[in-house]
Amino acid sequence: MELGSDVSAQCTDSAEDLVGNDEDVAALQTAILEKLTYQVGKRRSIATERDWLMATAYALRDRIVDRWLAGIDLAYQQGSKRVYYLSLEFLIGRLLFDNLNNMNQLGTMRAALAGLDVDLDKLRALEPDAALGNGGLGRLAACFMESMATLNIPAHGYGIRYEHGLFRQVMKNGWQQEYPEDWLAFGTPWEFHRADISYEIGFGGSIEAVPISEAAVRHVWHPAERIEAVAYDTPSVGWRGRRVNTLRLWSARSADPLRLDAFNHGDHAGALAEQVRAESISKVLYPSDATPAGQELRLRQEYFFVSASLQDLVRRHIKAFGHIGNLADKTAIQLNDTHPAIGIAEMMRILLDLNQIPWEDAWRMTQATFSYTNHTLLPEALEVWPVPLMERLLPRHMQIIYLINALHLGNVRQQFPDDEALLSSVSMIDEHQGRRVRMSHLAFLGSHRVNGVSALHTGLMRETVFRDLHALYPDRIVNVTNGIAFRRWLHEANPRLTRLLVNEAGPAVLDDEDALTRIRPLANDRSFQTRFAASRFANKLVLSELIRRELEIRIDPAALFDVHIKRIHEYKRQLLNVLEAIALYNAIRARPMDDWTPRVKIFAGKAAASYQQAKLIIKLIHDVARVINSDPTVRNILKIVFLPNYSVSLAEVVIPAADVSEQISTAGMEASGTGNMKFALNGALTIGTLDGANIELLERVGEDNMFIFGLTAEQVAARRAMGVDSTDLIAASPILSEVLASVEAGVFSPDERDRYRGLVDQLRYHDYFLVCADFDDYYAKQRKLADLWRRPQDWWQASILNTANVGWFSSDRAIREYADLVWEVPTYVAR
């Protein structure tokens, strides 16, 4: 079953819902009606709700554009240093309410539309989520774009305008099915098509060495294939509209869209082959790389958007300053994870081949300009590309990579002449499993700063994947813990709670994340606890109705809402959660008359299309839910819900309604997490491992207000060193043994008794993610959590202290740290 699109906000007001005067309302009404007539092309009498949505967005966009252009003009006038954020994902979600909030126009717009007999919340529900990201990486990029504008940093985001983006998840009999996302079916009112801004992107071909003197040559790349990257711009609005930056996304098109000779000879499909091949680059986010063709497409995507972005920013720089010599002084380029790492070689090509900069100067400029954020230690995410593929697709870049590597290894050999193991470790070419280019090494060597995204992750970077490179360049790795945009995840997603916080702590909480600490003294105030709990209950009513309407499952809003929403991956351990649910189910059936804490376990997330084990875990969740939800013995004490097609808009409904936040990844494998921050900000209590930013969250909210369990990162490494066979652990745990026996026997899959036999065998004999090792501690902590829920005063005190103590996790704080440690740009401090 597919979740419907009506996931509108929980209420129709917010703490910042200020209505302008009558003149403001009337002016906005006039603007909307003009847009309806002259841009949408409809009369008021026949306009549909979608027509009103477009007219409303266009009217708001006009007000945004004035500030957008003013900021661009000012940056040119002042010769400001610019930040360029390169990311394969920007999970921006719906923009109508986001822009209304940030422009302080929500109340005025609501009044204007009400006077036209139009419901703003119905329009909100019609807007599709921009399908430009998968999860935390893309949402972080969107939060960072908003914070850069809020802090008055001239910035551009660069990415791909995916026509379909990440797939739309539809559940059929509990199995995930992938369908194209159609977010652009009706167009988007927020973007500007810049048909005049396009760049040629080359692939394949040959390299010609053209002599320019007796001692030097200039390399000329003659690509065998050329496509065009066309720009689409979306304004990125900062808080209170202080600044509006640009998100520029690239769409691919063929330089020659139709072979007319083939068409006229009757080969109508063949005549379009080049167009189809070119446009496939910007069709889908993360196409499966299970085939050589899929792997090539991913590399083509990455080079496509990086090349267009670097050509664009170099053009802009020369326009502003007249020459390229001061590029590093006026430009900071941030690589958001390893996907854009080919940008190091592309910048060298631009400087060397197109601008005749000497090698040493070009390398110095490149290193001074680039910085690299590493988001994961997982081997599959530290991209490596086969050398033959790189040589065929990007021959000039491989020449540059070979030379960078040779000079780098030459320096290492001088310092450590007999250490062949070190040379192998720090080389950009991995020789062990077929020759492959280590893109993370290229990003590291080509950047002046490399950052992790939590204190634990940064430490592990230094100790593991970049250990030897860190020894060579000990000052290069720094830490910038991730953050979230409070405007999106509190003010907009949870207006009831925001209004309560403003009433008690003052309007400063809307501008200063540290002002949340003012509610600490109210944590054990009975009256404030009652109001805090009431705002949560209202949000739970909305989520309960959504689940009833879309999934035909009735849940009790007074129950404990235990939420696990994130990408489905073995290391994120949705499997551990569902096994605990089975254990709880067994206990309830064994002692049905005990005084149990009613609980609703809520899951959501997508599995990668080719990730069969993750898909099997989704199926298990559905199978367990079917059995538990239909068992009269349980009597609504336990319910399991899986919400399909997880999105930003769905998260905005679920997170404010959550009582418990599941952050239970295998320690040492989650780089940071941002979901943990969003949940804690809204007052959910975290049950989690000491992983990623959970450690820093624990430092700020206190161990009495979180539920920490399981092995530490050091203990995980030690356990794996001894082997990942868990038969001894299972034998020592009667609860876990019973759970696995029931899963293996087909209790939850009577239609296919052996469906989960392989999954259970993997847990027994190759439990790499240590589900069994952490199970008993997790189960025990869940019981303590349930006990706390039965003591409302203690529960709400802990919940309030979570909200009060997480201001540090603002993306504004993270961007200030980037600006200081990495980019060397000034910021605006709002206080």
Side-chain angles (χ1 to χ4, degrees):
M1 180 179 295
E2 179 187 357
L3 188 66
S5 61
D6 185 13
V7 286
S8 55
Q10 300 94 310
C11 68
T12 59
D13 55 2
S14 89
E16 197 64 7
D17 192 10
L18 304 176
V19 180
N21 58 40
D22 291 344
E23 291 182 0
D24 294 335
V25 173
L28 199 50
Q29 286 178 332
T30 299
I32 293 168
L33 291 173
E34 286 180 352
K35 293 299 177 183
L36 183 67
T37 302
Y38 298 112
Q39 198 149 355
V40 179
K42 289 286 189 73
R43 294 291 185 194
R44 180 178 176 182
S45 58
I46 62 170
T48 66
E49 287 183 339
R50 192 172 299 280
D51 295 331
W52 284 110
L53 169 63
M54 300 298 282
T56 299
Y58 286 135
L60 176 61
R61 193 180 75 170
D62 283 355
R63 286 156 173 74
I64 293 171
V65 166
D66 290 335
R67 302 192 188 192
W68 185 27
L69 298 180
I72 293 172
D73 291 343
L74 186 61
Y76 274 107
Q77 293 167 12
Q78 296 178 340
S80 303
K81 187 175 185 178
R82 291 177 173 86
V83 173
Y84 297 98
Y85 199 82
L86 273 61
S87 178
L88 203 60
E89 299 182 40
F90 286 94
L91 196 55
I92 56 178
R94 292 171 173 167
L95 290 178
L96 178 60
F97 265 53
D98 202 44
N99 288 336
L100 284 170
N101 274 319
N102 283 358
M103 290 291 289
N104 290 328
Q105 292 284 300
L106 181 56
T108 306
M109 182 63 79
R110 190 181 299 282
L113 287 173
L116 299 171
D117 297 322
V118 177
D119 186 338
L120 176 59
D121 294 294
K122 289 184 178 180
L123 303 189
R124 182 188 194 183
L126 285 176
E127 183 182 6
D129 277 61
L132 300 171
N134 180 24
L137 180 80
R139 187 54 229 170
L140 180 80
C143 286
F144 278 5
M145 284 297 296
E146 197 250 35
S147 282
M148 283 187 276
T150 296
L151 298 175
N152 200 30
I153 297 174
H156 274 67
Y158 280 121
I160 297 178
R161 182 183 181 265
Y162 303 103
E163 185 176 336
H164 298 293
L166 193 68
F167 61 83
R168 177 167 52 95
Q169 182 191 52
V170 176
M171 306 310 303
K172 293 188 176 180
N173 192 31
W175 290 104
Q176 172 181 292
Q177 303 290 321
E178 301 92 25
Y179 291 86
E181 184 60 79
D182 58 352
W183 74 282
L184 285 172
F186 295 95
T188 172
W190 305 112
E191 70 178 11
F192 291 82
H193 179 198
R194 306 298 195 191
D196 58 321
I197 299 177
S198 65
Y199 296 95
E200 184 180 274
I201 313 298
F203 295 101
S206 60
I207 313 300
E208 178 185 5
V210 179
I212 56 176
S213 70
E214 291 185 0
V217 298
R218 180 169 66 90
H219 291 88
V220 179
W221 179 22
H222 300 288
E225 177 188 2
R226 290 179 172 86
I227 64 173
E228 291 183 349
V230 183
Y232 289 78
D233 288 352
T234 298
S236 178
V237 184
W239 180 233
R240 300 194 186 278
R242 292 189 183 105
R243 182 179 185 86
V244 180
N245 283 327
T246 304
L247 173 60
R248 175 160 287 178
L249 304 176
W250 301 104
S251 182
R253 72 182 182 195
S254 173
D256 186 11
L258 176 67
R259 285 186 54 204
L260 194 57
D261 57 339
F263 192 89
N264 287 333
H265 280 90
D267 186 6
H268 302 147
L272 296 170
E274 291 183 11
Q275 178 185 5
V276 171
R277 176 173 169 80
E279 293 182 357
S280 66
I281 289 178
S282 54
K283 285 288 185 184
V284 175
L285 170 65
Y286 296 138
S288 173
D289 58 357
T291 65
Q295 191 174 54
E296 178 177 330
L297 179 55
R298 285 207 183 189
L299 179 56
R300 285 165 63 88
Q301 283 186 325
E302 293 178 7
Y303 177 67
F304 162 80
F305 102 86
V306 165
S307 177
S309 303
L310 296 188
Q311 291 183 65
D312 191 53
L313 70 88
V314 167
R315 173 196 59 81
R316 185 179 295 106
H317 176 86
I318 293 174
K319 177 183 177 182
F321 301 104
H323 62 93
I324 202 169
N326 63 344
L327 180 70
D329 297 327
K330 294 297 183 179
T331 302
I333 302 173
Q334 189 71 36
L335 305 177
N336 189 30
D337 214 7
T338 316
H339 310 118
I342 193 62
I344 303 295
E346 173 68 357
M347 179 61 82
M348 287 294 289
R349 185 189 72 85
I350 291 172
L351 296 176
L352 293 168
D353 299 354
L354 304 185
N355 292 276
Q356 288 76 59
I357 305 293
W359 177 277
E360 293 78 7
D361 294 337
W363 185 238
R364 174 187 53 79
M365 292 169 64
T366 296
Q367 285 186 310
T369 302
F370 278 90
S371 48
Y372 161 51
T373 300
N374 174 276
H375 280 281
T376 181
L377 305 178
L378 295 177
E380 64 264 28
L382 293 171
E383 289 184 322
V384 292
W385 296 112
V387 167
L389 173 61
M390 289 281 289
E391 289 179 328
R392 175 170 57 82
L393 208 61
L394 301 171
R396 178 57 179 148
H397 299 78
M398 272 310 302
Q399 285 185 341
I400 292 170
I401 289 169
Y402 279 138
L403 185 50
I404 294 172
N405 199 43
L407 294 171
H408 159 60
L409 294 182
N411 291 332
V412 175
R413 191 182 294 276
Q414 283 186 343
Q415 298 178 62
F416 306 93
D418 300 317
D419 197 337
E420 295 300 322
L422 176 62
L423 289 172
S424 175
S425 171
V426 301
S427 174
M428 284 192 289
I429 309 298
D430 183 358
E431 307 279 359
H432 292 93
Q433 298 178 346
R435 302 180 69 239
R436 294 173 176 269
V437 181
R438 293 166 166 156
M439 302 306 288
S440 59
H441 283 40
L442 175 61
F444 186 105
L445 292 169
S447 300
H448 68 282
R449 285 285 182 268
V450 177
N451 74 279
V453 290
S454 72
L456 174 65
H457 172 237
T458 300
L460 290 173
M461 283 172 56
R462 292 169 176 153
E463 297 166 7
T464 58
V465 296
F466 295 127
R467 181 189 63 190
D468 291 331
L469 285 170
H470 173 60
L472 295 173
Y473 305 97
D475 298 327
R476 190 161 300 184
I477 297 178
V478 297
N479 179 65
V480 182
T481 298
N482 284 343
I484 58 173
F486 280 22
R487 276 76 61 177
R488 188 69 175 247
W489 296 106
L490 181 62
H491 307 165
E492 182 181 338
N494 199 346
R496 287 190 178 90
L497 178 57
T498 302
R499 187 170 58 250
L500 176 61
L501 296 174
V502 169
N503 289 342
E504 295 297 334
V509 298
L510 298 172
D511 295 283
D512 179 5
E513 61 270 19
D514 294 332
L516 287 171
T517 58
R518 297 178 185 178
I519 67 167
R520 285 177 187 163
L522 299 173
N524 58 4
D525 181 284
R526 292 288 186 91
S527 173
F528 185 72
Q529 286 184 356
T530 299
R531 285 174 286 152
F532 196 93
S535 71
R536 173 83 53 79
F537 188 75
N539 296 335
K540 292 169 75 173
L541 285 173
V542 173
L543 179 56
S544 300
E545 173 58 21
L546 172 68
I547 292 170
R548 183 203 64 77
R549 183 175 65 249
E550 300 293 346
L551 301 179
E552 299 181 351
I553 299 174
R554 295 185 180 275
I555 61 175
D556 180 4
L560 178 72
F561 279 20
D562 180 351
V563 178
H564 198 166
I565 51 173
K566 54 183 75 248
R567 178 165 53 96
I568 309 296
H569 196 289
E570 288 172 276
Y571 90 84
K572 294 180 182 287
R573 299 204 293 190
Q574 287 89 354
L575 181 57
L576 175 61
N577 192 346
V578 74
L579 293 179
E580 190 274 335
I582 297 171
L584 178 58
Y585 172 60
N586 291 340
I588 293 171
R589 287 193 302 165
R591 303 186 306 277
M593 303 313 295
D594 284 6
D595 191 13
W596 296 98
T597 297
R599 183 189 299 250
V600 181
K601 281 185 175 282
I602 299 170
F603 295 88
K606 298 178 181 180
S610 59
Y611 194 171
Q612 297 305 317
Q613 192 76 341
K615 289 184 170 183
L616 186 64
I617 291 169
I618 293 176
K619 175 61 174 171
L620 177 61
I621 294 170
H622 281 85
D623 282 346
V624 171
R626 186 189 66 254
V627 172
I628 292 177
N629 295 349
S630 61
D631 189 336
T633 308
V634 177
R635 306 183 326 280
N636 290 325
I637 295 171
L638 178 63
K639 284 285 180 74
I640 312 290
V641 173
F642 188 96
L643 293 166
N645 207 35
Y646 184 47
S647 64
V648 174
S649 298
L650 181 56
E652 289 175 339
V653 177
V654 176
I655 290 173
D659 298 306
V660 174
S661 163
E662 296 273 354
Q663 307 295 333
I664 61 175
S665 53
T666 310
M669 301 197 74
E670 183 73 84
S672 171
T674 53
N676 45 6
M677 305 168 192
K678 296 162 192 168
F679 280 105
L681 175 64
N682 283 274
L685 272 57
T686 300
I687 182 167
T689 52
L690 285 174
D691 196 25
N694 283 355
I695 297 172
E696 288 146 294
L697 188 63
L698 178 65
E699 293 171 355
R700 283 162 176 80
V701 307
E703 62 182 13
D704 292 338
N705 304 310
M706 288 179 69
F707 294 86
I708 298 297
F709 74 94
L711 303 177
T712 64
E714 293 79 7
Q715 291 168 337
V716 166
R719 174 75 192 185
R720 285 176 177 160
M722 295 187 299
V724 290
D725 186 299
S726 292
T727 52
D728 56 335
L729 294 171
I730 295 169
S733 172
I735 296 175
L736 179 58
S737 296
E738 182 183 9
V739 168
L740 294 181
S742 64
V743 173
E744 185 177 37
V747 170
F748 302 98
S749 55
D751 57 323
E752 186 183 346
R753 293 287 182 181
D754 293 336
R755 180 179 297 150
Y756 302 111
R757 187 175 299 277
L759 185 148
V760 174
D761 281 345
Q762 181 171 308
L763 290 175
R764 282 200 184 100
Y765 305 120
H766 192 76
D767 185 15
Y768 182 78
F769 299 99
L770 302 181
V771 170
C772 298
D774 280 350
F775 177 85
D776 282 350
D777 196 9
Y778 177 61
Y779 184 81
K781 282 295 190 299
Q782 286 281 20
R783 306 290 72 76
K784 290 185 177 181
L785 188 152
D787 290 341
L788 184 64
W789 178 256
R790 302 178 67 78
R791 306 197 305 275
Q793 185 174 356
D794 294 337
W795 180 276
W796 293 111
Q797 177 178 323
S799 181
I800 292 165
L801 288 174
N802 267 263
T803 297
N805 289 317
V806 297
W808 185 82
F809 292 100
S810 167
S811 54
D812 292 355
R813 183 271 314 157
I815 290 300
R816 289 189 190 104
E817 292 184 8
Y818 275 104
D820 181 45
L821 290 173
V822 180
W823 303 330
E824 297 181 355
V825 295
T827 60
Y828 172 88
V829 180
R831 288 291 185 267

